[in-house]
Each structure stands twice: as C-alpha cells, then as structure tokens.
Amino acid sequence: MEIEKEAEQILKKFSDVLDTIPDMEETQYIVDNLNRTREDVNEESNPEKILRNAHTDNQGSVVSEKGKWTK
C-alpha cells in the first residue's frame, strides 16, 4: 500500500505542476518545402551481382531460411 500512496503523491505533484504552466497559443509554421518530390530514376540492376553471395543448392536454386515468425 505504500507504493500506492507514493504514486498518488507523485500524481498530485505532477498535477500541481501542470496547473502552473501558462496557456499558450498554438504555433504554426509555414514551410515551403512540404511534400517535395523527386524524379524516379531507373537504376540498373545486376541479378548476378546480387545472387553472388546467396546460398544455392546443386540445381542453382536459392536456399533461404524460413522466417521464424511463420508457423
């Protein structure tokens, strides 16, 4: 029960501190770079380079670990 009393005291102090914070108007910022976009650039892909470090079986198929989150 001592913990409950301490928790109530902490909440009371916190509430008292919140009452001392002055009310302020909301601040708004005007930013001209909102929702900027960029052009899509097609980058050349090289599957051989990507698969160079992949584990493969005798038939050349990629071997990977089953996700631990799946059942």
Side-chain angles (χ1 to χ4, degrees):
M1 298 309 165
E2 188 175 326
I3 294 175
E4 289 179 5
K5 290 179 183 178
E6 289 179 9
E8 287 178 11
Q9 291 174 354
I10 291 170
L11 288 174
K12 172 84 170 95
K13 289 179 184 178
F14 183 71
S15 177
D16 292 341
V17 170
L18 286 179
D19 288 338
T20 63
I21 297 175
D23 291 334
M24 301 178 77
E25 292 184 25
E26 188 174 322
T27 306
Q28 297 178 359
Y29 298 96
I30 299 174
V31 180
D32 64 344
N33 63 358
L34 188 64
N35 294 330
R36 289 200 176 192
T37 58
R38 62 180 170 91
E39 291 185 31
D40 288 334
V41 178
N42 186 9
E43 296 180 11
E44 188 175 325
S45 63
N46 185 352
E48 292 175 3
K49 189 176 182 181
I50 295 170
L51 295 175
R52 189 180 312 157
N53 293 325
H55 297 283
T56 56
D57 61 7
N58 294 338
Q59 299 172 350
S61 300
V62 175
V63 178
S64 64
E65 181 181 330
K66 181 179 177 183
K68 294 179 181 178
W69 63 90
T70 58
K71 293 182 181 179

